[in-house]
Short mmCIF file of all heavy atoms in Angstrom, two decimals:
data_model
loop_
_atom_site.label_atom_id
_atom_site.label_comp_id
_atom_site.label_asym_id
_atom_site.label_seq_id
_atom_site.Cartn_x
_atom_site.Cartn_y
_atom_site.Cartn_z
N TRP A 524 43.71 9.09 21.86
CA TRP A 524 43.80 9.01 20.40
C TRP A 524 43.04 10.18 19.75
O TRP A 524 43.51 10.73 18.74
CB TRP A 524 43.19 7.70 19.91
CG TRP A 524 44.05 6.48 20.15
CD1 TRP A 524 43.79 5.44 20.97
CD2 TRP A 524 45.32 6.21 19.55
NE1 TRP A 524 44.80 4.52 20.95
CE2 TRP A 524 45.78 4.98 20.05
CE3 TRP A 524 46.14 6.89 18.66
CZ2 TRP A 524 46.98 4.40 19.69
CZ3 TRP A 524 47.35 6.31 18.28
CH2 TRP A 524 47.77 5.08 18.79
N ILE A 525 41.91 10.55 20.36
CA ILE A 525 41.14 11.68 19.82
C ILE A 525 41.94 12.97 19.97
O ILE A 525 41.99 13.82 19.06
CB ILE A 525 39.78 11.79 20.53
CG1 ILE A 525 38.92 10.56 20.22
CG2 ILE A 525 39.05 13.07 20.13
CD1 ILE A 525 37.62 10.48 21.00
N GLU A 526 42.61 13.16 21.14
CA GLU A 526 43.42 14.36 21.34
C GLU A 526 44.57 14.41 20.34
O GLU A 526 44.89 15.48 19.80
CB GLU A 526 43.99 14.36 22.77
CG GLU A 526 42.93 14.58 23.85
CD GLU A 526 43.55 14.54 25.25
OE1 GLU A 526 44.77 14.72 25.34
OE2 GLU A 526 42.80 14.32 26.22
N LEU A 527 45.19 13.23 20.08
CA LEU A 527 46.30 13.18 19.13
C LEU A 527 45.81 13.51 17.72
O LEU A 527 46.48 14.23 16.97
CB LEU A 527 46.94 11.78 19.16
CG LEU A 527 48.19 11.60 18.29
CD1 LEU A 527 49.30 12.55 18.74
CD2 LEU A 527 48.68 10.16 18.35
N GLU A 528 44.63 12.98 17.37
CA GLU A 528 44.05 13.28 16.04
C GLU A 528 43.78 14.77 15.89
O GLU A 528 44.07 15.36 14.85
CB GLU A 528 42.76 12.48 15.85
CG GLU A 528 42.11 12.71 14.50
CD GLU A 528 40.81 11.95 14.34
OE1 GLU A 528 40.56 11.02 15.14
OE2 GLU A 528 40.03 12.28 13.40
N ASN A 529 43.24 15.38 16.96
CA ASN A 529 42.96 16.82 16.90
C ASN A 529 44.24 17.64 16.75
O ASN A 529 44.27 18.66 16.04
CB ASN A 529 42.21 17.25 18.15
CG ASN A 529 40.79 16.68 18.19
OD1 ASN A 529 40.21 16.40 17.15
ND2 ASN A 529 40.24 16.51 19.40
N ALA A 530 45.30 17.20 17.43
CA ALA A 530 46.58 17.91 17.31
C ALA A 530 47.12 17.83 15.89
O ALA A 530 47.61 18.82 15.33
CB ALA A 530 47.59 17.32 18.29
N VAL A 531 47.00 16.63 15.27
CA VAL A 531 47.46 16.47 13.89
C VAL A 531 46.62 17.31 12.94
O VAL A 531 47.15 17.97 12.04
CB VAL A 531 47.41 14.98 13.49
CG1 VAL A 531 47.67 14.82 11.99
CG2 VAL A 531 48.44 14.18 14.28
N LEU A 532 45.30 17.32 13.15
CA LEU A 532 44.43 18.11 12.28
C LEU A 532 44.63 19.61 12.48
O LEU A 532 44.39 20.39 11.56
CB LEU A 532 42.96 17.73 12.53
CG LEU A 532 42.56 16.31 12.11
CD1 LEU A 532 41.10 16.05 12.45
CD2 LEU A 532 42.80 16.09 10.63
N ASP A 533 45.02 20.02 13.69
CA ASP A 533 45.35 21.43 13.91
C ASP A 533 46.53 21.85 13.06
O ASP A 533 46.59 22.99 12.56
CB ASP A 533 45.65 21.69 15.39
CG ASP A 533 44.38 21.66 16.24
OD1 ASP A 533 43.27 21.80 15.65
OD2 ASP A 533 44.48 21.48 17.47
N SER A 534 47.50 20.94 12.91
CA SER A 534 48.68 21.26 12.10
C SER A 534 48.42 21.06 10.61
O SER A 534 48.93 21.83 9.78
CB SER A 534 49.86 20.37 12.53
OG SER A 534 49.57 19.01 12.26
N SER A 535 47.65 20.04 10.27
CA SER A 535 47.32 19.76 8.86
C SER A 535 45.82 19.45 8.76
O SER A 535 45.41 18.28 8.87
CB SER A 535 48.13 18.57 8.36
OG SER A 535 49.52 18.84 8.45
N PRO A 536 44.99 20.46 8.59
CA PRO A 536 43.54 20.27 8.64
C PRO A 536 43.00 19.25 7.65
O PRO A 536 41.97 18.63 7.89
CB PRO A 536 42.98 21.67 8.35
CG PRO A 536 44.07 22.60 8.75
CD PRO A 536 45.36 21.89 8.43
N GLN A 537 43.70 19.05 6.53
CA GLN A 537 43.19 18.15 5.51
C GLN A 537 43.91 16.80 5.50
O GLN A 537 43.83 16.03 4.54
CB GLN A 537 43.31 18.80 4.13
CG GLN A 537 42.44 20.04 3.98
CD GLN A 537 42.54 20.67 2.60
OE1 GLN A 537 43.51 20.43 1.89
NE2 GLN A 537 41.55 21.47 2.25
N PHE A 538 44.60 16.49 6.59
CA PHE A 538 45.36 15.26 6.66
C PHE A 538 44.47 14.02 6.47
O PHE A 538 44.78 13.13 5.66
CB PHE A 538 46.08 15.17 8.03
CG PHE A 538 46.76 13.86 8.28
CD1 PHE A 538 47.96 13.54 7.65
CD2 PHE A 538 46.18 12.91 9.12
CE1 PHE A 538 48.58 12.32 7.88
CE2 PHE A 538 46.79 11.69 9.34
CZ PHE A 538 48.00 11.39 8.73
N LYS A 539 43.39 13.98 7.21
CA LYS A 539 42.50 12.81 7.15
C LYS A 539 41.83 12.68 5.78
O LYS A 539 41.71 11.58 5.22
CB LYS A 539 41.44 12.92 8.25
CG LYS A 539 40.63 11.66 8.46
CD LYS A 539 39.72 11.80 9.69
CE LYS A 539 38.96 10.50 9.96
NZ LYS A 539 38.12 10.61 11.17
N GLU A 540 41.42 13.82 5.22
CA GLU A 540 40.76 13.80 3.91
C GLU A 540 41.72 13.33 2.84
O GLU A 540 41.37 12.51 1.97
CB GLU A 540 40.21 15.18 3.57
CG GLU A 540 39.04 15.61 4.45
CD GLU A 540 38.53 16.99 4.09
OE1 GLU A 540 39.08 17.58 3.13
OE2 GLU A 540 37.60 17.46 4.75
N ARG A 541 42.96 13.84 2.87
CA ARG A 541 43.93 13.44 1.87
C ARG A 541 44.26 11.96 1.98
O ARG A 541 44.41 11.25 0.96
CB ARG A 541 45.21 14.27 2.03
CG ARG A 541 45.02 15.74 1.70
CD ARG A 541 46.20 16.56 2.14
NE ARG A 541 45.98 17.98 1.89
CZ ARG A 541 46.75 18.95 2.38
NH1 ARG A 541 47.76 18.65 3.19
NH2 ARG A 541 46.49 20.21 2.09
N LEU A 542 44.36 11.48 3.22
CA LEU A 542 44.67 10.07 3.42
C LEU A 542 43.53 9.19 2.88
O LEU A 542 43.78 8.16 2.23
CB LEU A 542 44.88 9.80 4.91
CG LEU A 542 45.33 8.38 5.30
CD1 LEU A 542 46.67 8.06 4.66
CD2 LEU A 542 45.43 8.25 6.81
N ASN A 543 42.29 9.61 3.13
CA ASN A 543 41.15 8.85 2.62
C ASN A 543 41.07 8.89 1.10
O ASN A 543 40.71 7.90 0.45
CB ASN A 543 39.84 9.39 3.21
CG ASN A 543 39.61 8.91 4.63
OD1 ASN A 543 39.96 7.79 4.97
ND2 ASN A 543 39.03 9.75 5.47
N LEU A 544 41.43 10.04 0.51
CA LEU A 544 41.41 10.15 -0.94
C LEU A 544 42.46 9.26 -1.59
O LEU A 544 42.21 8.61 -2.60
CB LEU A 544 41.64 11.61 -1.36
CG LEU A 544 40.47 12.57 -1.10
CD1 LEU A 544 40.90 14.01 -1.30
CD2 LEU A 544 39.31 12.25 -2.03
N LEU A 545 43.65 9.21 -0.96
CA LEU A 545 44.73 8.38 -1.52
C LEU A 545 44.42 6.89 -1.39
O LEU A 545 44.85 6.08 -2.21
CB LEU A 545 46.06 8.70 -0.82
CG LEU A 545 46.71 10.04 -1.21
CD1 LEU A 545 47.90 10.33 -0.32
CD2 LEU A 545 47.15 10.01 -2.67
N THR A 546 43.66 6.54 -0.35
CA THR A 546 43.35 5.12 -0.13
C THR A 546 41.92 4.76 -0.55
O THR A 546 41.50 3.64 -0.30
CB THR A 546 43.52 4.78 1.37
OG1 THR A 546 42.61 5.58 2.13
CG2 THR A 546 44.94 5.03 1.83
#
Side-chain angles (χ1 to χ4, degrees):
W524 285 114
I525 295 173
E526 291 179 19
L527 184 61
E528 181 182 345
N529 291 334
V531 171
L532 293 178
D533 287 341
S534 64
S535 300
Q537 295 181 339
F538 173 76
K539 191 173 184 178
E540 291 180 1
R541 293 168 183 169
L542 185 61
N543 282 325
L544 288 169
L545 286 172
T546 61

